Amino acid sequence: MKQVKLSTLKARLWRLVSEYVRRKDANRDGLVECVTCGKWYHWRSAHAGHFVPKKKGSAVYFDLRDIHPQCANCNVWQRGNLHAYYDYMLDTYGQDVIDELKQLGRTSLKITRDEYADRIKAMRELIQAL
């Protein structure tokens, strides 16, 4: 039996994390608020934007404290709208978590196949519970 590539497992986990982040705060109509501009979008068209950029191998890549719903304009065209994102993060988590996430963003994270499988299973369960 052929072993699944780590890059494939990473992509699967990211799709699930992204879906969870965009759906968990959605209202009954499936609308979620962009944390940086405050506009409402259907969760399917929203992005899951990182406060600390998700560099390849970064330890914040899947950290749910670092990922929140954003519109495409804020996430892509305004490159995260970081001033507004900082204000959101400060109000939501405080400076200690911001500092921790920034430090994690400078460290790498190696995830094994078994850890990916466990995380994928856990994320599927979180999505099912929504």
Side-chain angles (χ1 to χ4, degrees):
M1 186 164 133
K2 189 175 178 182
Q3 200 170 41
V4 178
K5 292 180 182 180
L6 282 175
S7 61
T8 301
L9 292 171
K10 182 178 182 178
R12 284 181 189 165
L13 180 57
W14 173 247
R15 276 192 301 275
L16 293 168
V17 167
S18 174
E19 179 180 344
Y20 176 73
V21 164
R22 292 175 295 130
R23 287 183 60 193
K24 71 180 175 68
D25 295 324
N27 66 18
R28 286 181 156 170
D29 297 323
L31 300 177
V32 66
E33 185 177 17
C34 173
V35 299
T36 48
C37 73
K39 293 181 183 174
W40 289 83
Y41 296 86
H42 194 275
W43 72 266
R44 290 185 187 275
S45 64
H47 287 205
H50 285 77
F51 174 64
V52 175
K54 63 172 186 177
K55 298 174 190 143
K56 186 176 182 179
S58 170
V60 296
Y61 203 98
F62 300 111
D63 192 318
L64 294 176
R65 299 170 302 169
D66 190 54
I67 311 164
H68 301 89
Q70 282 191 296
C71 65
N73 181 54
C74 288
N75 191 36
V76 177
W77 305 114
Q78 293 187 41
R79 296 193 172 127
N81 193 355
L82 292 181
H83 180 72
Y85 212 152
Y86 177 83
D87 291 343
Y88 170 81
M89 294 294 289
L90 190 60
D91 289 344
T92 304
Y93 299 105
Q95 190 63 48
D96 289 344
V97 170
I98 290 171
D99 294 342
E100 180 185 349
L101 290 171
K102 286 182 178 181
Q103 180 62 37
L104 286 172
R106 293 188 288 274
T107 60
S108 63
L109 176 66
K110 301 291 184 195
I111 303 175
T112 67
R113 280 181 172 72
D114 288 340
E115 290 170 329
Y116 271 118
D118 290 344
R119 288 178 181 217
I120 288 168
K121 181 182 178 200
M123 198 53 56
R124 284 184 176 143
E125 289 171 358
L126 284 173
I127 290 170
Q128 284 276 354
L130 293 176

